[in-house]
Amino acid sequence: MTTPPDALVAAPHDALYIAGEWRPAATGDTIPVVDPATEEVIAHVPAGTAADVDAAVRAARAALPGWAATPPEDRAARIAAIRDGLTARADEIAATVTAELGAPPKIAAAVHAALPARVAASYADLAATYPFVEKVGNSTVYAEPVGVVGAITPWNYPLHQIVAKAAPALAAGCAIVLKPAEDTPLTAQLFAEVVHDAGLPPGVFNLVTGLGPVAGQALAEHDGVDLVSFTGSTAVGRRIGAVAGAAVKRVALELGGKSASVILPGADLARAVNVGVANVMSNSGQTCSAWTRMLVHTDQYDEAVALAATAAAKYGERIGPVVSAAQRDRVRGYIERGVAEGARLVAGGPDAPRERGYYVRPTVFADVTPDMTIAQEEIFGPVLSILRYEDESDAEAIANGTEYGLAGAVWAGSDEEAAAFARRLHTGQVDINGGAFNPLAPFGGYKRSGVGRELGTHGLTEYLQTKSLQF
Ligand code: NAP
Ligand code: MG
């Protein structure tokens, strides 16, 4: 007998993970977890409140001195054990992400389960090799943990977003309280199990599931939190930044994007368009760094639009749902807005492709102008806007003409030409002629896309503060 795939979905805990054990929340309130492909409630998890956050922060504070004093090689060994746990449970992780996010099994395995293990591996290495002590003239400079981290994460890459904060925080010697997205708490509970099995001292990692404006806000405001690390919308990030600023608390903000893929005339047009469409449709468009604007020279515009329409049509059956009914309604609203503002639909549209599930049709708009809402606001759905440019300086102005600056792509006849143009973009990452994602490269935004960097050495230093001793 074969095991049905949903038997792999992590069994929900009706408790919070605090001080090394699963504990009941202060109230009996719960949050339903919905499978976006079926619209069925598949689990309930506790809705933690300020009292639970307080208990978790106290546990983290109590654990902090011991973990901070643990030699980096020993911290590295525990992170390596987390990496091994993530690798061993990859099938469960993938099934759980499919169940609560709706990611198709292939991307769930290849991205949602595999990437966090790579990121954990990178921090097992960095914890062991990073120079936490340096000589500068007559000074000895120590990189010390910033303290207790309040981590608030979104649902779009549920495990990656958690590991991109927890792994560097642990490597730095910080203790953590995590408030994951309400839509994807099962993946977070699975991660807590992995941390537990990795033998971390009680209280070093704590999980409080709950609602953003309740548990999330309590965590951001808590006096016992030294650094708030947030990934999510710019609207919430702005508020968290204000709260942290008022308390003179460190803050890292990983926010939205409206990234441009700029196709210069010498590029391989078909490849640039096909990879560009795939980039937007992947994860049903729910990627903060997605290249949701494609910029094409006026001479190649019609050809690019035709290629994009054909490419998008192929995603009709393959694409997963978006995460929730609210997100589906939001995305459809943007598609209707695009039509109303005069953009031309060449693939997809606002109508529902299936009777059940929060599906949105893979959508491509042509004749999009920079002032349109769909060219300015983050949609977070499978929607591509194709804009026309006249020359390079026009392309540069359009690419830089949003409040965001997270990522982007440049395609040209040579890497040198593409890289020269990329240096003119006001954005934290640019992929040159389809360059691959690098989990060691700093990831983060210019402008309203955020403050700080995640991943690799830059991600580690977010969780450190420095002390100089003069001799
Ligand atoms: P969000 O509301 O910003 O959620 C991100 C995280 O913050 C979640 O854990 C959320 O909890 C929490 N949160 C919400 N309100 C809070 C508050 N007042 N204080 C502290 N924490 C709070 O994002 P969303 O509602 O999930 O998605 C809305 C839009 O944000 C998306 O359509 C997209 O444009 C953008 N987004 C960007 C990214 C990214 O990677 N940059 C990721 C996700 C979403 P709840 O889950 O309970 O709301
Ligand atoms: Mg929300």
Side-chain angles (χ1 to χ4, degrees):
M1 206 182 94
T2 54
T3 315
D6 60 3
L8 281 170
V9 175
H13 290 270
D14 59 357
L16 309 172
Y17 184 72
I18 296 175
E21 60 184 21
W22 292 93
R23 287 189 188 171
T27 75
D29 295 349
T30 61
I31 300 171
V33 185
V34 176
D35 181 338
T38 63
E39 305 185 25
E40 277 164 16
V41 174
I42 56 169
H44 287 87
V45 299
T49 57
D52 300 307
V53 167
D54 185 57
V57 173
R58 284 168 193 276
R61 287 230 78 85
L64 177 66
W67 185 244
T70 300
E73 334 52 282
D74 296 351
R75 297 202 299 259
R78 298 277 71 78
I79 300 169
I82 292 173
R83 172 203 63 202
D84 293 344
L86 295 176
T87 305
R89 298 182 70 178
D91 291 349
E92 261 176 284
I93 292 166
T96 305
V97 174
T98 294
E100 63 181 1
L101 176 67
K106 235 169 109 176
I107 174 180
V111 180
H112 292 284
L115 179 58
R118 285 173 75 191
V119 172
S122 74
Y123 283 109
D125 287 347
L126 276 166
T129 56
Y130 186 79
F132 289 97
V133 188
E134 269 183 335
K135 284 285 197 194
V136 180
N138 66 313
S139 302
T140 303
V141 180
Y142 291 88
E144 299 187 338
V146 78
V148 169
V149 174
I152 301 174
T153 55
W155 41 262
N156 61 337
Y157 290 88
L159 186 57
H160 170 69
Q161 307 282 21
I162 291 169
V163 173
K165 299 189 190 307
L170 294 173
C174 294
I176 306 156
V177 178
L178 167 66
K179 202 304 280 180
E182 67 187 77
D183 292 318
T184 54
L186 301 181
T187 309
Q189 291 188 338
L190 200 163
F191 180 71
E193 289 179 8
V194 168
V195 167
H196 185 83
D197 294 343
L200 261 83
V204 170
F205 174 85
N206 307 274
L207 169 67
V208 178
T209 51
L211 300 176
V214 182
Q217 192 157 327
L219 183 58
E221 289 175 351
H222 201 292
D223 282 341
V225 170
D226 301 295
L227 162 70
V228 184
S229 179
F230 170 83
T231 300
S233 63
T234 296
V236 174
R238 216 184 271 275
R239 295 183 50 183
I240 287 176
V243 167
V248 198
K249 203 182 267 189
R250 290 263 294 266
V251 67
L253 303 172
E254 180 61 56
L255 309 177
K258 192 73 193 175
S259 298
S261 177
V262 181
I263 306 177
L264 296 176
D268 177 343
L269 185 68
R271 175 156 180 262
V273 171
N274 284 323
V275 174
V277 170
N279 176 284
V280 174
M281 300 309 161
S282 162
N283 213 38
S284 303
Q286 303 166 122
T287 305
C288 47
S289 55
W291 311 328
T292 50
R293 297 180 298 147
M294 184 179 284
L295 274 55
V296 184
H297 189 271
T298 188
D299 291 347
Q300 296 177 309
Y301 191 80
D302 293 341
E303 191 186 348
V305 168
L307 285 165
T310 306
K314 283 192 253 164
Y315 286 86
E317 295 304 311
R318 277 192 273 156
I319 199 163
V322 296
V323 69
S324 63
Q327 193 65 17
R328 176 201 53 200
D329 295 345
R330 194 167 174 266
V331 175
R332 281 197 196 153
Y334 274 114
I335 298 174
E336 283 162 359
R337 186 89 177 258
V339 173
E341 291 184 4
R344 174 165 57 101
L345 264 181
V346 295
D351 49 308
R354 302 193 198 192
E355 260 172 41
R356 231 163 46 123
Y358 308 131
Y359 289 89
V360 178
R361 297 177 65 195
T363 296
V364 177
F365 278 108
D367 300 343
V368 178
T369 54
D371 54 301
M372 288 181 185
T373 306
I374 57 169
Q376 290 295 329
E377 294 185 15
E378 182 174 54
I379 298 174
F380 236 61
V383 182
L384 172 66
S385 295
I386 311 185
L387 294 94
R388 178 194 301 270
Y389 70 84
E390 302 293 333
D391 57 29
E392 274 200 18
S393 68
D394 191 28
E396 179 184 344
I398 295 169
N400 288 332
T402 78
E403 66 171 0
Y404 293 113
L406 188 55
V410 181
W411 304 82
S414 73
D415 284 357
E416 293 68 29
E417 186 193 351
F421 189 86
R423 295 295 305 271
R424 293 153 67 179
L425 297 180
H426 304 158
T427 168
Q429 284 224 342
V430 188
D431 294 347
I432 303 299
N433 284 326
F437 178 77
N438 175 2
L440 287 173
F443 184 95
Y446 282 27
K447 301 194 287 184
R448 301 291 121 71
S449 286
V451 175
R453 292 292 178 272
E454 293 199 310
L455 303 180
T457 310
H458 287 76
L460 177 59
T461 58
E462 294 283 333
Y463 297 91
L464 294 169
Q465 56 190 345
T466 50
K467 176 184 288 170
S468 308
L469 306 188
Q470 282 63 245
F471 293 87

